[in-house]
Amino acid sequence: MPNSVKHSRRLFLSHAARLAVAGAVLPLTRPALASLPDARSLEFDHTHTGERISIVFAVGNHYVPDALNVVNRFLRDHYSGEVGKIDPQLLDLLFRTRQELGSDQPFHVISGYRCPTTNTKLRNGRGGGVARNSLHMQGKAIDIRIPGVPLSDLRDAATSLNLGGVGFYQRDKFVHVDTGKVRYW
């Protein structure tokens, strides 16, 4: 392929990605965004609401604002319905964890954002198993599993990244990951 064609294609893709990230109205569907270089996507099934999404949340170094809004709503507090703001770095952590595993299965979400009232109720009702200042309340934590992936493999993949906290809840069948300090339990 001649250099001018390569350059033109690269320029077009770069321009399209910037416009998509800026929220411009373009006929770019999810498959079109997913085909852009450096597109990052995730799929989720929510175990409590039954909802499912597949979304391109970032292209290159830029997050897609509309996609982040969709994720915020999807990972809302499923007890109260309150929508929080999910840390985009949490999405990057999930993306990298799934890459580490080599899995294309969706994450099953047990808990995403949690409002303070819900956190207090769960803390008081579960014998202290919920942190008083849980990172779920800041949109920096999520409890997940992946169908067909042993929980220990999910834990090990997240731990290997050294990007935040990882909690292993074998009995409850989920792994907690967050973008807080690196720590393991």
Side-chain angles (χ1 to χ4, degrees):
M1 185 180 316
N3 276 345
S4 63
V5 173
K6 284 183 187 176
H7 179 70
S8 258
R9 183 173 184 270
R10 188 173 300 135
L11 187 62
F12 166 77
L13 291 173
S14 173
H15 184 65
R18 277 196 302 279
L19 288 172
V21 168
V25 179
L26 280 179
L28 287 180
T29 62
R30 184 195 177 283
L33 276 177
S35 70
L36 291 173
D38 299 326
R40 295 190 304 282
S41 63
L42 289 167
E43 293 78 36
F44 296 106
D45 289 344
H46 203 295
T47 61
H48 296 285
T49 66
E51 297 170 320
R52 295 178 170 183
I53 62 168
S54 178
I55 195 151
V56 175
F57 68 91
V59 178
N61 294 325
H62 303 282
Y63 294 106
V64 180
D66 288 342
L68 296 180
N69 290 333
V70 169
V71 169
N72 290 342
R73 170 125 176 80
F74 182 84
L75 294 177
R76 70 192 177 276
D77 183 325
H78 65 270
Y79 291 98
S80 70
E82 187 175 320
V83 176
K85 186 174 180 186
I86 300 300
D87 179 3
Q89 291 179 12
L90 183 62
L91 303 178
D92 287 327
L93 173 58
L94 293 171
F95 179 79
R96 291 193 52 201
T97 300
R98 207 167 77 161
Q99 280 185 312
E100 186 75 19
L101 289 165
S103 173
D104 62 355
Q105 293 297 310
F107 284 102
H108 282 192
V109 176
I110 289 79
S111 183
Y113 172 75
R114 197 182 296 149
C115 75
T117 302
T118 296
N119 198 73
T120 299
K121 285 179 185 176
L122 293 175
R123 183 172 168 72
N124 292 336
R126 295 204 176 162
V130 173
R132 179 185 318 271
N133 295 312
S134 171
L135 291 175
H136 285 276
M137 295 187 297
Q138 297 174 41
K140 294 178 179 240
I142 190 168
D143 299 334
I144 52 167
R145 60 180 165 250
I146 299 176
V149 174
L151 283 177
S152 58
D153 289 356
L154 178 56
R155 173 202 59 208
D156 294 347
T159 300
S160 74
L161 298 171
N162 282 320
L163 294 174
V166 179
F168 185 61
Y169 296 89
Q170 179 73 38
R171 190 187 75 195
D172 296 319
K173 298 184 177 87
F174 70 84
V175 172
H176 166 101
V177 296
D178 66 52
T179 57
K181 294 178 185 173
V182 175
R183 66 217 186 286
Y184 313 107
W185 64 95

